Amino acid sequence: MSAEATTLTKAATARPEPAAPRATRRRRLGPGRAIPYGRAIGPLLLLAVWSAGSAAGFIDARNLSAPWTVVSTAGDLIAEGRLQSNLATSAERALLGLLFGTAAGVLLAIAAGLSRIGEGVIDGPVQIKRAIPSLALIPLLILWFGIGESMKVITIALGVFVPVYIHTHNGLRTIDGRYAELAETVGLSRTGFVRHVVLPGALPGFLLGMRFAVTAAWLSLVVVEQVNATSGIGYMMELARTYGQTDIIIVGLVVYGLLGLVSDALVRLVERKTLSWRRTLAG
Amino acid sequence: MATHTGGLTHARLADEGPAVRIEGLVRSFGDREILAGLELDIAAGEFVALLGRSGSGKSTLLRALAGLDHEVAGSGHLSAPADVSVVFQDARLLPWKRVLDNVVLGLTGPGARDRGRAALDEVGLAGREDAWPADLSGGEQQRVSLARSLVREPRLLLADEPFGALDALTRIRMHALLRRLCEAHRPAVLLVTHDVDEAIALADRVVVLDEGRIAADVRVDLPAPRGQGTQRYAALRAGLLRQLGVDQDGGAPVRADDVVTPVGG
């Protein structure tokens, strides 16, 4: 060790201040690491406030039944088999509507996204339809299709197809044009282009549309079941209103909420599995 | 066979003769003539570097050869082999396909995936078949795109500033890789670049494009390795730079025995 180095070391130890300036830690701008089960925090907090309010007597049971009353009512409804049969009817309507609406939305989006004629013919009417809430069409749909199942499924499908169309079409249109060039240079056919470039490229948009679509399906379901139905969760709630059974209404609401949450989680799961190639803030 | 607007014939060449033959090629955007009656032949297996300032028409020429210039007005005669492959400046990998699927994109038939694996091995990426493009470095992505081109065994390889976005060290490694691959597969190559050193390091022949015409056509016959220190290298470099409008003090003109066909001027 040289003499100079020794002096330097001495000088450093002599001073009490930090010898070397610490590297400045930058503030992280991304959201950071995911909290395990982080999505459950909000709903659990809500449940806690509700329970506390009911137990302390702040919430009148005639306005909002206590969580435990709702649970026991749900137990009774399940024991009687009413909840299951109504849920099955509701789920069937929602699924059928979702199926038809999604199929229509995707097919129209592809037709409008891949050809100028398709865009000219399809895009305008869809934008007009978008401006009219599906639920406002119910009177007309009842006149056309009666009050049976087909009217309900069609109403749901109409609510579903718009977000699927809008987001899939947007996804298609924002695919980088350079990928089309690449497809030409590697000699992809039209179908190969759709399969390898268009569909996977539009998938993020489609899945976003699906998340809106799932919500739209449940929303439309609630309305059609309360308008004119003799079965389903909405009918069960409407009947409970007549007899002032708040707890049954809450059971219905909780079921709707759970259905919405579960279906959204399903779409998110599919999103995570199929879009694992993306490197985004979501991680 | 594809007929373009403006009476351009675009023929596919037979297996013999030059890989590329361009006669009186005109391309214009609006009133601006980008290519003004360009003449160029590329022999089979020949490595040609195309130099030019920005806006000189390099990319337009390359896109014409690749058949990517839809709806561009033009005339002239252009013959290129059917099996053309393009390496773009951005690696242009489909982000939703794994590396091997990107390499074999558009290939059909049995053994395509095995050939894809072999091509990846050739560019030094064996074992990365299942990686996502987003997980590769820029140099690795460009090597995947080279593998994607090579697996097609093209007779003509078009490269549009393929190393422009890479750092200097990676670029040197990529130069060596490209030379090696071209020697192994012998495609005719048209490499568009604005880097004079890159052109000299790689090409058998350097063509300078200026205002839509060939301004210089120089055969590079420097002994390998092409050391940048030699006098002939310096002379060639200075001459090419002058053609590109960069005048360096003390630069010698392009030597007569280096010049094959000085056109225009």
Side-chain angles (χ1 to χ4, degrees), chain B residues 10-104:
Chain B
H10 192 289
R12 295 303 181 192
L13 284 176
D15 276 349
E16 306 84 36
V20 172
R21 167 152 287 170
I22 301 168
E23 287 161 350
L25 190 67
V26 175
R27 282 285 187 275
S28 34
F29 292 95
D31 292 338
R32 259 192 79 205
E33 215 166 61
I34 304 294
L35 298 178
L38 187 122
E39 314 270 334
L40 182 69
D41 278 8
I42 299 176
E46 190 178 29
F47 197 131
V48 176
L50 183 64
L51 277 172
R53 284 177 276 187
S54 43
S56 59
K58 301 186 300 268
S59 292
T60 308
L61 173 58
L62 184 127
R63 294 174 65 80
L65 279 169
L68 287 173
D69 53 349
H70 311 293
E71 290 149 21
V72 176
S75 59
H77 180 79
L78 178 74
S79 332
D83 35 2
V84 181
S85 192
V86 185
V87 179
F88 299 94
Q89 175 167 11
D90 55 310
R92 210 166 292 195
L93 305 176
L94 296 175
W96 47 81
K97 284 195 178 291
R98 291 176 193 274
V99 163
L100 181 60
D101 294 318
N102 262 292
V103 170
V104 300

Side-chain angles (χ1 to χ4, degrees), chain A residues 101-114 123 126 160-175 197-213:
Chain A
T102 306
V106 168
L107 289 178
L108 289 176
I110 290 177
L114 289 186
D123 202 51
V126 176
V160 161
F161 110 92
V162 172
V164 171
Y165 171 87
I166 299 277
H167 291 280
T168 309
H169 185 240
N170 186 49
L172 273 170
R173 274 291 147 102
T174 49
I175 292 175
V197 179
V198 173
L199 291 182
L203 192 62
F206 165 73
L207 287 172
L208 179 63
M210 275 312 285
R211 286 185 60 192
F212 285 105

Side-chain angles (χ1 to χ4, degrees), chain A residues 175-188 192 195-198 200-202 273-274 276-279, chain B residues 63 66-68 70 84-86 88 90-98 102 105-107 132-135 148 152:
Chain A
I175 292 175
D176 200 326
R178 295 174 310 161
Y179 293 143
E181 231 174 62
L182 170 72
E184 287 174 31
T185 61
V186 299
L188 281 186
R195 205 179 119 208
H196 296 294
V197 179
V198 173
K273 292 279 174 223
T274 53
S276 51
W277 49 271
R278 291 205 295 188
R279 294 291 170 273
Chain B
R63 294 174 65 80
L68 287 173
H70 311 293
V84 181
S85 192
V86 185
F88 299 94
D90 55 310
R92 210 166 292 195
L93 305 176
L94 296 175
W96 47 81
K97 284 195 178 291
R98 291 176 193 274
N102 262 292
L105 181 69
L107 288 187
W132 294 113
D135 292 333
R148 180 179 61 200
R152 282 146 230 278

Side-chain angles (χ1 to χ4, degrees), chain B residues 182-195:
Chain B
C182 288
E183 271 154 27
H185 296 269
R186 304 301 306 172
V189 182
L190 184 68
L191 171 82
V192 167
T193 178
H194 52 238
D195 181 344

Side-chain angles (χ1 to χ4, degrees), chain A residues 27-117:
Chain A
R27 258 184 78 188
R28 185 207 283 274
L29 291 177
R33 290 216 290 173
I35 308 171
Y37 303 105
R39 286 190 194 292
I41 294 174
L44 285 179
L45 203 64
L46 210 61
L47 190 65
V49 170
W50 178 18
S51 306
S54 297
F58 291 132
I59 301 173
D60 189 338
R62 280 170 299 177
N63 293 334
L64 184 62
S65 309
W68 40 91
T69 318
V70 173
V71 171
S72 68
T73 307
D76 296 343
L77 287 173
I78 291 170
E80 292 164 30
R82 270 174 72 194
L83 190 61
Q84 295 94 311
S85 70
N86 282 321
L87 183 61
T89 318
S90 292
E92 191 191 322
R93 285 175 189 147
L95 282 179
L96 279 177
L98 202 59
L99 194 74
F100 291 128
T102 306
V106 168
L107 289 178
L108 289 176
I110 290 177
L114 289 186
S115 85
R116 294 289 172 196
I117 295 175

